C-alpha cells in the first residue's frame, strides 16, 4: 500500500487528528502508522508539534508487522537456534566417534608379508644337496614359513637349491635370513634373492 500527500495540507489535517489521538488506529502503533510515516519520508517541520512527536514515536517503536518481518529475517534456516539440539547433536557425534574408534581398535591389523624365492648355491657338484636342503629348512624364525623347493641345474653337474618362503616384513629381515643360511659354510657358497612378491 503506497500513500502520497500534498504535504502542507496533509500535515495540518494529520496534526489536528494527532492532537486528540496518539496513533492513527486504535491508540497503538500499527502498520498504518508505519506506512504514513514512510510516506512522509522525513521528519516534519517543528510547527506541526503533534506530527513531529508521533513521527519520532513511530520511527522509534517499530510496528508489530515490521518487527515480525525483522524476526523472520533473523531466522537461520541452515543453523540451529536451539542449544539443546546442538548438545544432542554433539552427544551423538561423540558417541559415533567412540564407536568408530572401538571398531577400529578391534579390527586386526594387516600383516605385511612377502613371498621370497632364494637361490642357494653349493660349493661344487660333490656337495650333498639333500643335507643342504635340510639345513636350510632347519632355520626357524618368528614370521618365517618355508615353502616348496627344487634343484635347478646351473652347469658342469652342479645344481642350486631354489627354495620358497613367506616372511612377515616386520619380523624377518632377508639379510639376517641370508646370513643364517651362509653359516652352513660346508654346504653353501652364496645366497641370492631370485624373486620377491608382496602378498
Amino acid at each position: 500500500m503506497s500513500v502520497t500527500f500534498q504535504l502542507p495540507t496533509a500535515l495540518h489535517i494529520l496534526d489536528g487528528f494527532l492532537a486528540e489521538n496518539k496513533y492513527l488506529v486504535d491508540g497503538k502503533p500499527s502498520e498504518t502508522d508505519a506506512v504514513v510515516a514512510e510516506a512522509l519520508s522525513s521528519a516534519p517541520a517543528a510547527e506541526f508539534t503533534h506530527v513531529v512527536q508521533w513521527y519520532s514515536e513511530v520511527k522509534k517503536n517499530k510496528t508489530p508487522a515490521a518487527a515480525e518481518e525483522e524476526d523472520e529475517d533473523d531466522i537461520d534456516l541452515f543453523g540451529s537456534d536451539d542449544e539443546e539440539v546442538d548438545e544432542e547433536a554433539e552427544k551423538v557425534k561423540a558417541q559415533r566417534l567412540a564407536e568408530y574408534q572401538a571398531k577400529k581398535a578391534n579390527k586386526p591389523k594387516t600383516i605385511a608379508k612377502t613371498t621370497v624365492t632364494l637361490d642357494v648355491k653349493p660349493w661344487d657338484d660333490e656337495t650333498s644337496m639333500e643335507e643342504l636342503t635340510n639345513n636350510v629348512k632347519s632355520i626357524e624364525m618368528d614370521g618365517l614359513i618355508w615353502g616348496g623347493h627344487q634343484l635347478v641345474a646351473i652347469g658342469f653337474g652342479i645344481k642350486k637349491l631354489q627354495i620358497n618362503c613367506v616372511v612377515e616384513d616386520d619380523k624377518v629381515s632377508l639379510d639376517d635370513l641370508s646370513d643364517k643360511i651362509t653359516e652352513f659354510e660346508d654346504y653353501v657358497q652364496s645366497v641370492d634373492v631370485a624373486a620377491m612378491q608382496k602378498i
Side-chain angles (χ1 to χ4, degrees), residues 19-88:
E20 298 172 12
N21 302 297
K22 186 168 182 171
Y23 296 102
L24 299 177
V25 180
D26 297 331
K28 58 185 177 182
S30 66
E31 189 174 344
T32 306
D33 290 295
V35 169
V36 172
E38 197 68 34
L40 293 176
S41 72
S42 65
E47 65 182 272
F48 304 107
T49 56
H50 301 293
V51 177
V52 169
Q53 187 178 12
W54 166 84
Y55 184 83
S56 63
E57 193 71 28
V58 168
K59 287 296 184 180
K60 183 172 69 173
N61 296 324
K62 293 181 181 174
T63 62
E68 276 183 34
E69 277 185 29
E70 193 168 291
D71 286 347
E72 286 178 11
D73 290 342
D74 289 343
I75 294 174
D76 185 5
L77 298 176
F78 300 105
S80 175
D81 57 349
D82 188 4
E83 290 180 15
E84 290 180 19
V85 174
D86 287 343
E87 290 175 13
E88 193 65 33

Side-chain angles (χ1 to χ4, degrees), residues 93-109:
K93 183 179 174 183
Q95 180 184 2
R96 287 184 182 163
L97 187 60
E99 289 173 1
Y100 171 75
Q101 294 294 344
K103 185 177 178 182
K104 188 176 177 183
N106 291 336
K107 185 177 178 182
K109 293 186 177 181

Side-chain angles (χ1 to χ4, degrees), residues 3 38-39 72 100 108 119 137 168 194 196:
V3 179
E38 197 68 34
E72 286 178 11
Y100 171 75
D119 284 343
K137 283 195 165 189
E168 289 183 27
M196 290 178 67

